[in-house]
């Protein structure tokens, strides 16, 4: 009997690209997959169970082993620092983490403030720069913070730069490039060795092909 | 900080209530008996140790240590593992006879958790240390003992992955040259970041053959054939010794007839500096974390003044219980409810039943408010109440 594999998929931006990639790797995923509102989708033909989670939570599901595999952005991996294997760079959903703010502004000398969804990454970055800053955690619409004076700078992911532009913000520094990763629970990596290796090999092939096309 | 509720405990500390206690005790006894059958002797060491000695020698990160000061101002730690304390005892007391020492323990260890307040910061480990025997036979014995003890607990699905730190080091050293570069690359393995590993390898100024060898290294996982694959990656003698050890080890576990439970994984780096040779982790179904780990640590005893080779393992009892996933069966309890007039009779009956091996509760009837609720708790209940000599109500 084949082992079932549970895969934690991030809802939203990465989801479509990740599904497309799995299909290219030859996994038969049903068509209703794309616009289902279900949180758990079983694909018995492939012995796969997909769970749809908030992107930030994917590494948590995988670390605790309730999902064997997961697809998570490197931004989330850096922020969460979960004890999981980061096996493949899927090269999808490319973007980067950047420091942004209003044009022609300096950081406040008295009490520099940074608003972000990634407090750990932001704190680590400014510590490395030797800057002492106050980190303010927000859960979305980070661009608001400098506009209404909550923070001098924001740390956020940038993919096209449109959101920043539309809100009159500019990038000051790039922190790190981000792509999505295939992550694996350390126990599953051993106990379901054969199946996981199969997934990894098939995905690797797709990544290689994509590289050639590009 | 908000005012504490009276029932609160420090972060990560847990109470063990009767049912869980009994389950834990049963598993602990099964494991301990097996260890004793293999000739390991149990010892105890203090909960508090000096930070400067055991604290710094331990494999656990400094940020995870619970520290406090004694009245003379020395920094103390709550022991974060049992290996370092046992190394301390062995080096100072036990190793005088120059014979290998086989020691075992089951004890609570303390590790502060930064994330998720509910994760246990105190948990029980049961394990062994085989000190003063540098042969692979000692490592093999540990693996054999783990499998045999776990099987006795009724654990059906588990696997041990075995790696070799000295192989990783010498293989990397041969290609990369400096210790610093070796450490850098090993850190990627330790952090389980294979993507970062490959990117790092690509950026190194190495021949494409060497880069390929380093990437191929990540695939060294599986059965005994892995040893051959690893040999093919070598270009000189560095690492051969380690691979020969693994060959010997495989022979040993085959002789224990436990090779079905064991896989090789040469990418396993479970600690940056502590282990020196064969290392392993134990995995079981139902639990997302390893239930145990171990390996050879030839440099630890030196820190306590005796350069001796040693190897050992520890199993986390809480993770093991979780993976056993056995329903709890309350052992049958009897109860004798008595009134003062028949107290002596009740005591004698209880003593007799206890001699038969039953677990008997003696309950003064005046101490119970709801007699029906009380009788519902027990398998069988005897009433020795009132003046008449005969019968139970």
């Amino acid at each position: 009997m084949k082992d079932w594999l549970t895969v934690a998929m991030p809802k939203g931006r990465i989801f479509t690209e990740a599904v497309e990639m799995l299909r290219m790797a030859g996994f038969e995923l049903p068509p209703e997959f794309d616009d289902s509102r279900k949180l758990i989708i079983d694909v018995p033909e492939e012995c796969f169970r997909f769970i749809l989670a908030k992107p930030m939570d994917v590494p948590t599901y995988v670390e605790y082993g309730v999902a064997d595999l997961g697809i998570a952005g490197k931004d989330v991996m850096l922020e969460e620092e979960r004890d999981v294997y980061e096996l493949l760079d899927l090269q999808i959903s490319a973007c980067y983490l950047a420091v942004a703010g209003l044009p022609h502004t300096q950081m406040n000398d008295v009490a520099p403030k940074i608003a972000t969804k990634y407090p750990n990454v932001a704190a680590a970055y400014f510590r490395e720069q030797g800057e002492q800053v106050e980190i303010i955690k927000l859960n979305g619409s980070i661009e608001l913070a400098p506009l209404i004076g909550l923070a001098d700078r924001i740390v956020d992911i940038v993919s096209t730069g449109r959101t920043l532009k539309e809100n009159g913000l500019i990038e000051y520094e790039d922190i790190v490039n981000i792509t999505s990763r295939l992550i694996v629970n350390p126990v599953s990596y051993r106990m379901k060795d054969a199946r996981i290796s199969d997934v990894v090999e098939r995905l690797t092939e797709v990544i290689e092909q994509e590289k050639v096309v590009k | 900080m908000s005012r504490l509720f009276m029932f609160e405990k420090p972060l990560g500390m847990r109470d063990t209530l009767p049912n869980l206690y009994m389950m834990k005790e049963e598993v602990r006894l099964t494991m301990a008996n097996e260890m004793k059958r293999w000739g390991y002797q149990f010892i105890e060491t203090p909960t508090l140790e000096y930070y400067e000695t055991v604290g710094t020698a331990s494999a656990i990160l400094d940020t995870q240590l619970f520290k406090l000061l004694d009245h003379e101002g020395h920094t103390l730690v709550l022991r974060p593992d049992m290996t370092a304390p046992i190394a301390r005892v062995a080096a100072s007391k036990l190793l005088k006879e120059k014979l290998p020492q086989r020691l075992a323990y089951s004890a609570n260890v303390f590790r502060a958790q930064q994330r998720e307040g509910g994760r246990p910061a105190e948990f029980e480990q049961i394990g062994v240390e085989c000190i003063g025997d540098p042969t692979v036979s000692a490592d093999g014995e540990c693996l054999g003992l783990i499998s045999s003890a776990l099987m006795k607990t009724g654990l059906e699905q588990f696997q041990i992955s075995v790696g070799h730190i000295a192989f990783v080091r010498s293989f990397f050293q041969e290609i990369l040259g400096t210790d610093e570069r070796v450490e850098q690359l090993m850190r990627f393995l330790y952090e389980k970041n294979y993507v970062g590993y490959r990117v790092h390898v690509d950026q190194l100024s190495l021949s494409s053959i060497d880069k390929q060898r380093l990437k191929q290294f990540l695939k060294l996982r599986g059965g005994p054939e892995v040893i051959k694959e690893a040999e093919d990656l070598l270009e000189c003698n560095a690492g051969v010794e380690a691979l020969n050890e693994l060959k010997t080890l495989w022979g040993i576990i085959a002789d224990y007839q436990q090779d079905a439970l064991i896989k090789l994984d040469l990418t396993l780096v479970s600690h940056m500096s502590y282990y020196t040779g064969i290392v392993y982790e134990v995995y079981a179904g139902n639990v997302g974390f390893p239930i145990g780990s171990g390996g050879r640590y030839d440099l630890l005893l030196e820190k306590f003044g005796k350069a001796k080779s040693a190897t050992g393992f520890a199993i986390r009892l809480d993770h093991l219980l979780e993976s056993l996933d056995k329903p709890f069966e309350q052992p049958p309890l009897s109860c004798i409810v008595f009134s003062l007039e028949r107290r002596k009779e009740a005591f004698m009956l209880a003593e007799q039943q206890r001699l038969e091996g039953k677990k008997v509760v003696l309950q003064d009837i005046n101490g119970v408010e709801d007699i029906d609720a009380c009788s519902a708790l027990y398998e069988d209940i005897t009433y020795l109440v009132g003046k008449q000599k005969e019968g139970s109500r």
Side-chain angles (χ1 to χ4, degrees):
Chain A
M1 203 190 77
K2 243 170 145 187
D3 287 326
W4 273 72
L5 280 186
T6 304
V7 186
M9 299 283 278
K11 284 195 283 196
R13 202 168 52 93
I14 311 174
F15 183 77
T16 334
E17 279 181 86
V19 169
E20 191 189 341
M21 189 151 193
L22 286 168
R23 288 207 172 112
M24 282 167 73
F27 295 105
E28 298 286 337
L29 305 182
E32 72 265 22
F33 207 79
D34 305 73
D35 41 34
S36 173
R37 288 186 159 263
K38 277 200 220 159
L39 295 177
I40 299 178
I41 302 172
D42 285 340
V43 185
E45 309 83 60
E46 296 277 2
C47 287
F48 267 125
R49 156 171 285 187
F50 291 91
I51 59 173
L52 303 190
K54 270 257 194 213
M56 264 306 183
D57 295 336
V58 167
T60 313
Y61 288 102
V62 176
E63 184 185 39
Y64 277 84
V66 288
D68 302 304
L69 301 170
I71 292 177
K74 182 67 183 173
D75 51 336
V76 177
M77 298 297 293
L78 289 170
E79 180 62 25
E80 290 281 306
E81 293 189 311
R82 296 284 170 173
D83 190 22
V84 296
Y85 277 96
E86 190 178 322
L87 285 190
L88 284 181
D89 183 349
L90 299 175
Q91 316 268 13
I92 55 173
S93 309
C95 56
Y96 53 96
L97 273 169
V99 182
L102 287 167
H104 318 296
T105 51
Q106 298 271 316
M107 292 236 275
N108 185 327
D109 283 336
V110 186
K113 295 192 187 75
I114 313 291
T116 182
K117 246 198 308 194
Y118 304 93
N120 289 333
V121 178
Y125 176 74
F126 285 100
R127 196 176 57 238
E128 275 166 31
Q129 309 287 309
E131 300 263 9
Q132 81 184 357
V133 296
E134 182 176 338
I135 308 281
I136 301 171
K137 154 111 198 203
L138 292 179
N139 290 303
S141 307
I142 315 294
E143 295 79 11
L144 256 179
L147 298 178
I148 60 165
L150 176 64
D152 307 301
R153 294 281 186 271
I154 61 172
V155 169
D156 204 7
I157 45 172
V158 182
S159 40
T160 59
R162 238 184 81 193
T163 324
L164 288 182
K165 217 170 169 189
E166 283 177 5
N167 289 292
L169 301 179
I170 60 159
E171 279 166 45
Y172 281 92
E173 291 135 72
D174 283 2
I175 299 180
V176 63
N177 285 328
I178 306 288
T179 45
S180 294
R181 309 293 158 99
L182 180 75
I183 59 173
V184 181
N185 173 272
V187 178
S188 307
Y189 189 48
R190 271 57 184 240
M191 303 281 287
K192 298 181 178 178
D193 180 26
R195 278 221 67 192
I196 290 175
S197 298
D198 174 56
V199 175
V200 170
E201 271 165 36
R202 285 158 77 171
L203 286 173
T204 311
E205 254 171 58
V206 177
I207 298 166
E208 295 297 325
Q209 283 165 14
E210 290 287 292
K211 261 190 205 158
V212 176
V213 174
K214 277 175 190 165
Chain B
M1 195 174 165
S2 58
R3 200 163 162 262
L4 293 173
F5 294 108
M6 283 308 289
F7 57 78
E8 266 186 296
K9 305 171 293 256
L11 205 64
M13 297 295 158
R14 288 182 181 183
D15 301 314
T16 306
L17 298 180
N19 288 359
L20 178 59
Y21 184 90
M22 273 188 273
M23 285 163 73
K24 249 170 103 172
E25 190 180 37
E26 195 193 316
V27 174
R28 179 194 305 125
L29 264 178
T30 313
M31 297 276 299
N33 281 337
E34 189 60 12
M35 290 165 175
K36 286 178 199 158
R37 270 195 284 269
W38 288 52
Y40 284 78
Q41 291 180 303
F42 274 78
I43 67 166
E44 280 181 346
T45 68
T47 312
L48 288 173
E49 295 272 1
Y50 284 122
Y51 169 68
E52 267 175 70
T53 60
V54 170
T56 50
S58 149
I60 306 306
L61 297 176
D62 208 66
T63 50
Q64 285 196 296
L65 299 179
F66 282 100
K67 302 190 191 96
L68 57 153
L69 295 177
D70 72 2
H71 64 285
E72 285 172 339
H74 295 292
T75 309
L76 308 180
V77 291
L78 289 171
R79 61 171 174 235
D81 64 19
M82 280 298 287
T83 306
I86 287 182
R88 172 181 61 69
V89 181
S92 59
K93 282 245 157 56
L94 296 171
L95 283 170
K96 304 224 161 83
E97 298 102 71
K98 302 204 162 152
L99 285 173
Q101 293 284 329
R102 289 180 165 76
L103 301 172
Y105 58 87
S106 82
N108 284 8
V109 298
F110 302 84
R111 295 175 196 171
Q113 305 291 338
Q114 279 101 23
R115 206 188 282 279
E116 261 119 11
R119 277 200 199 182
E122 175 183 13
F123 51 86
E124 184 171 343
Q125 283 190 329
I126 182 161
V128 305
E129 313 291 350
C130 182
I131 300 170
D133 183 346
T135 66
V136 184
S137 294
D139 300 285
E141 175 174 308
C142 286
L143 288 172
L145 177 51
I146 295 178
S147 319
S148 151
L150 286 179
M151 281 195 276
K152 292 256 164 29
T153 66
L155 188 67
E156 279 158 10
Q157 216 196 357
F158 67 93
Q159 187 194 309
I160 309 175
S161 285
V162 181
H164 201 303
I165 294 293
F167 172 75
V168 183
R169 272 191 191 280
S170 42
F171 177 62
F172 285 3
Q173 187 77 34
E174 186 224 319
I175 297 178
L176 299 169
T178 68
D179 281 344
E180 198 192 331
R181 294 169 84 187
V182 171
E183 292 289 315
Q184 252 182 346
L185 198 58
M186 275 180 83
R187 184 158 289 278
F188 285 107
L189 295 180
Y190 172 66
E191 288 172 352
K192 306 188 173 70
N193 182 356
Y194 288 7
V195 174
Y197 178 97
R198 287 194 210 97
V199 172
H200 182 76
V201 167
D202 277 331
Q203 286 165 352
L204 288 168
S205 52
L206 292 173
S207 71
S208 60
I209 296 171
D210 281 345
K211 286 184 182 175
Q212 201 47 46
R213 286 165 72 201
L214 285 174
K215 286 184 190 166
Q216 205 59 33
F217 169 82
L218 289 182
K219 299 202 171 134
L220 295 178
R221 308 165 60 223
E225 72 282 356
V226 165
I227 301 174
K228 179 77 185 50
E229 289 166 29
E231 275 173 343
D232 293 344
L233 282 184
L234 296 178
E235 277 183 351
C236 63
N237 277 334
V240 169
E241 204 182 321
L243 290 179
N244 285 339
E245 277 188 25
L246 283 177
K247 264 187 221 164
T248 315
L249 183 76
W250 197 267
I252 295 168
I253 47 191
D255 286 352
Y256 277 119
Q257 296 183 320
Q258 280 163 351
D259 40 337
L261 297 166
I262 294 174
K263 288 223 169 132
L264 293 176
D265 186 338
L266 294 182
T267 64
L268 185 72
V269 173
S270 37
H271 192 276
M272 277 306 286
S273 57
Y274 192 71
Y275 292 112
T276 52
I278 288 164
V279 285
Y280 40 88
E281 281 186 351
V282 189
Y283 310 98
N286 301 329
V287 185
F289 304 91
I291 61 170
S293 61
R296 183 164 283 282
Y297 49 96
D298 284 351
L299 300 175
L300 179 67
L301 269 89
E302 215 174 283
K303 294 185 186 164
F304 294 99
K306 279 253 166 60
K308 279 278 181 187
S309 180
T311 182
F313 69 83
I315 300 287
R316 262 187 81 154
L317 216 53
D318 53 347
H319 286 335
L320 173 56
L321 271 176
E322 213 182 322
S323 61
L324 279 169
D325 199 23
K326 269 200 284 209
F328 177 69
E329 282 164 34
Q330 174 80 43
L333 262 184
S334 317
C335 180
I336 300 171
V337 177
F338 65 93
S339 65
L340 296 182
E341 298 89 341
R342 301 177 69 183
R343 186 171 62 196
K344 190 169 183 192
E345 189 190 340
F347 288 3
M348 280 161 63
L349 179 63
E351 186 54 29
Q352 187 195 334
Q353 289 186 352
R354 284 171 188 154
L355 281 175
E356 291 164 12
K358 284 188 185 166
K359 297 189 171 69
V360 186
V361 172
L362 271 170
Q363 177 62 56
D364 185 334
I365 191 155
N366 295 314
V368 186
E369 277 177 31
D370 182 346
I371 200 81
D372 290 332
C374 171
S375 63
L377 277 178
Y378 301 101
E379 287 265 304
D380 76 280
I381 186 155
T382 314
Y383 292 95
L384 297 177
V385 181
K387 288 235 157 61
Q388 75 274 34
K389 276 263 173 245
E390 273 310 308
S392 50
R393 203 165 70 192

